[in-house]
Amino acid sequence: MENEAGALSRVAGLFSARGYNIESLTVAPTEDATLSRMTIVTRGSDEVIEQITKQLNKLIDIVRVVDLSDGQHIERELMLVKVRAEGEWREEMKRMSDIFRGRIIDVTDKTYTIEMTGAGHKLDAFLEALDKGAILETVRTGASGIGRGDRILKS
Amino acid sequence: MELTGAEITVRCLAEEGVEYVFGYPGGAVLNIYDEIYKQDKFKHVLVRHEQAAVHAADGYARATGRTGVALVTSGPGATNAVTGIATAYMDSIPMVVISGQVPTPAIGMDAFQEVDTVGITRPCVKHNFLVKDIRDLASTIKKAFFIASTGRPGPVLVDIPKDVTQFKTDFEYPKNISLRSYNPVTKGHTGQIKRAVQMLLNAKRPMIYAGGGVILSDAAKQLTELARLLGFPCTNTLMGLGGFPASDPLSVGMLGMHGTYEANMAVQHSDVLVAIGARFDDRVIGSPEHFYQEERQIIHIDIDPSSISKRVRVDVPIVGNVPDVLTEMIKLIKTSKEKPDQTALKTWLTQIELWRSRDCLKYDRTSDIIKPQFVLEKLHEVTGGDAFVTSDVGQHQMWAAQFYKFDKPRRWINSGGLGTMGFGLPAAMGVQLAHPDAMVACVTGEGSIQMNIQELATCKQFNIPLKIILLNNRYLGMVRQWQEFFYGERYAESYMDTLPDFVKLAEAYGHAGRRIDNPAEVEDALKWAFSAEMKNTLVFLDFRTDQTENVYPMIPGGKGLSEMILV
């Protein structure tokens, strides 16, 4: 989409005005400073997804819309989790982070902050695996997606 | 040469060939108004409320096909314009609205008359812009006109902060504009058009269902040729009236909630339905589940891909400019040498005539109270069917649609999508200014007319001699009808207890008026209003009509096309 003021609110407004749900939405400028790329995760029947695609295409600021789930694609999300790291938990948290290929990026006497990337379901699985009482704070970026192989999105 | 933003704005409008700007001045647009004062390329029409400015620009656009232009100030100027903008958006009317904004350093400071105009209007415009840099001003206005008038048309708003109208920059109006993210399709897919033609040629019970897209794209000629070439019956939506001549024997009138029995039955029982510039909305086909009870194949031609398969599944979608697609279809049919099954078509048309003989629009012609339908039949007669008719919203709108038989496109001007009461009078001003010598009638109700009655002053100032046909039943008639049918005759707040003397009111504004209480006086009053003597005078006719008359047929909300309440 055009990297214009208001473009994000046009997309967000479209979803709320037409009653579509947004599970996550990420957006940032690309290597071409005049363009931004947005990844939206949404759910709906084939008809609803078709309408969402058409309605997005109608927005003047939108350059191109693809449904990544139409083909092979890669999806990644970044999560930062602050966990308790006292007593017996200190070793346990380190081990869990290693198993899920997380990285501990900040340490205090009482806490670890773990950085983890992956598909959304992997991050979900990590949170599931932790003792609920151990999780102090979570922040997630929402998914960014890209086609697998030679498939690219160009205007 | 360096020009100020205000000069640039005015120059851009002149470059676009704008004839009329409808507007209302205020602090944020004073620089622009100062430049309007100094120029003579276009005329400015001072309305009495910003909503009316937008409706007038809308009426102008609908009657001409050109882009309407409105100019309003920041804050309340812009919020007052919103209803007009939403009206134009729902009916896909090409329009550019220029709004003033507080100076850029004041944006976000809760400044006097500040409102987030771009934010407020975002869901009801095709696109909008806030011009923060004067160097973008000319190209933005160019883009606004381009976007408003191409593809599926719609309103575009340009919000200009006051300091931007003061700054100076070199002016050059771009000749052309291209937007990488906006390339509306025009040519239909050849393969799909061939499939559609074959489907039409194989049809046994065909129906053409033509909407507002036919009017907007100036495709009435092509539609009429196609229907006559195939001998297929045609129904028009509320927005599509005049797209196919109502007087043609193949016309079955309007379809939908208050459509004719024959139109609704024929659509429901057709085996091939071709929708042209129409969108299967809830007021047209009612419940999709009921619509699906009969099997049929659907061809859908529309410029907007998102209109296709939105409410109803379609077998042959054709995205393209309607007149171009129809021209290609006509060419294919002519060269194919094939003809639809004439026996089947004859049986089908006979069935339609049987439905027509139900005479679903009949009403009591012997009544000694004025029947609203009678007024409209007489209006058609007195104007020779050649008037531009605007309407407000409610029963009078439906009766006008049913009883004024439109043979030409762009003659019927009403708020179909948004259903905006108060639309009729200002829209009629735009129509009359566009066609100064034409007969223009605003058919209205006593509820609707009071929503923008102040525009009688504008009509006086700018010598707009339109004729107001008020069907005055002292009720919010359509609300009353629903209350009678669906709310146990509890008429909650639908009775207008104190009405002004409309004749005196019209006279107070400097116009002429007459109150008509008796059916025998109807024709005479209309003849007077449209007489040579009154050619240059606005005439306000207050017809006291039957208070309990209802609009028939009616499909109750959520019901299907063949579930009409009939008189």
Side-chain angles (χ1 to χ4, degrees), chain A residues 2-56:
Chain A
E2 299 289 348
N3 188 12
E4 295 271 354
L8 169 61
S9 58
R10 284 181 214 281
V11 173
L14 170 71
F15 273 74
S16 63
R18 294 197 181 263
Y20 309 138
N21 75 73
I22 300 180
E23 293 202 358
S24 72
L25 183 159
T26 65
V27 61
T30 65
E31 76 282 3
D32 175 347
T34 66
L35 286 174
S36 286
R37 169 133 170 177
M38 180 181 273
T39 305
I40 302 173
V41 178
T42 183
R43 246 172 240 286
S45 62
D46 289 351
E47 289 77 30
V48 170
I49 298 298
E50 184 187 333
Q51 262 302 311
I52 291 176
T53 309
K54 285 174 171 176
Q55 293 293 347
L56 284 170

Side-chain angles (χ1 to χ4, degrees), chain B residues 149-446:
Chain B
S149 60
T150 51
R152 181 179 180 171
V156 178
L157 178 133
V158 183
D159 200 24
I160 311 176
K162 189 168 186 180
D163 54 347
V164 173
T165 67
Q166 280 158 332
F167 295 147
K168 284 189 166 184
T169 192
D170 284 327
F171 174 66
E172 194 189 346
Y173 199 58
K175 289 248 173 323
N176 296 300
I177 205 99
S178 83
L179 292 159
R180 64 177 160 190
S181 57
Y182 177 71
N183 297 296
V185 179
T186 52
K187 208 178 164 313
H189 188 278
T190 312
Q192 294 291 61
I193 293 175
K194 280 187 185 150
R195 271 183 69 204
V197 164
Q198 203 50 53
M199 201 175 265
L200 289 174
L201 291 169
N202 294 338
K204 302 229 180 312
R205 300 187 308 280
M207 263 311 281
I208 297 172
Y209 148 46
V214 171
I215 311 287
L216 291 167
S217 65
D218 291 316
K221 192 170 132 265
Q222 291 85 344
L223 169 66
T224 309
E225 187 181 351
L226 178 75
R228 287 179 180 163
L229 176 66
L230 291 163
F232 284 3
C234 181
T235 179
N236 293 99
T237 68
L238 179 68
M239 295 309 297
L241 295 175
F244 184 75
S247 60
D248 191 294
L250 289 169
S251 169
V252 294
M254 182 171 77
L255 83 164
M257 183 172 266
H258 295 294
T260 65
Y261 183 66
E262 51 271 29
N264 288 339
M265 292 300 278
V267 168
Q268 181 69 2
H269 297 283
S270 60
D271 73 335
V272 173
L273 180 65
V274 51
I276 307 174
R279 57 189 178 92
F280 294 92
D281 81 78
D282 55 302
R283 286 297 193 268
V284 165
I285 59 150
S287 122
E289 289 70 32
H290 184 274
F291 185 69
Y292 286 134
Q293 283 172 13
E294 303 288 333
E295 276 201 30
R296 66 181 82 66
Q297 290 176 301
I298 298 176
I299 301 161
H300 193 172
I301 307 166
D302 205 289
I303 191 117
D304 178 3
S306 76
S307 280
I308 294 176
S309 293
K310 183 166 73 180
R311 285 196 85 229
V312 160
R313 288 185 299 274
V314 167
D315 301 280
V316 184
I318 303 171
V319 178
N321 190 30
V322 168
D324 298 342
V325 172
L326 295 184
T327 302
E328 211 173 323
M329 289 173 93
I330 291 164
K331 206 158 52 178
L332 283 172
I333 293 164
K334 281 184 175 163
T335 53
S336 83
K337 307 270 189 289
E338 274 183 74
K339 272 186 134 185
D341 179 342
Q342 294 300 301
T343 320
L345 188 57
K346 204 169 163 221
T347 312
W348 176 234
L349 290 172
T350 309
Q351 173 62 62
I352 288 173
E353 285 316 306
L354 205 65
W355 285 322
R356 202 197 293 270
S357 67
R358 179 69 181 69
D359 193 12
C360 66
L361 298 180
K362 64 176 172 245
Y363 65 92
D364 179 8
R365 289 166 190 279
T366 60
S367 169
D368 50 12
I369 310 170
I370 298 174
K371 290 286 182 180
Q373 300 97 323
F374 177 69
V375 177
L376 292 161
E377 278 185 345
K378 282 292 167 195
L379 176 67
H380 185 264
E381 202 180 299
V382 168
T383 57
D386 204 28
F388 287 80
V389 179
T390 74
S391 92
D392 276 296
V393 172
Q395 285 184 320
H396 68 270
Q397 176 191 25
M398 293 301 123
W399 283 317
Q402 291 174 336
F403 287 88
Y404 199 99
K405 308 289 184 191
F406 293 93
D407 276 345
K408 294 180 192 163
R410 299 195 181 278
R411 293 299 171 112
W412 166 237
I413 285 154
N414 83 127
S415 166
L418 196 67
T420 308
M421 291 170 70
F423 173 80
L425 174 56
M429 301 187 323
V431 176
Q432 185 80 78
L433 288 167
H435 301 290
D437 294 321
M439 291 177 280
V440 179
C442 165
V443 176
T444 185
E446 77 286 353

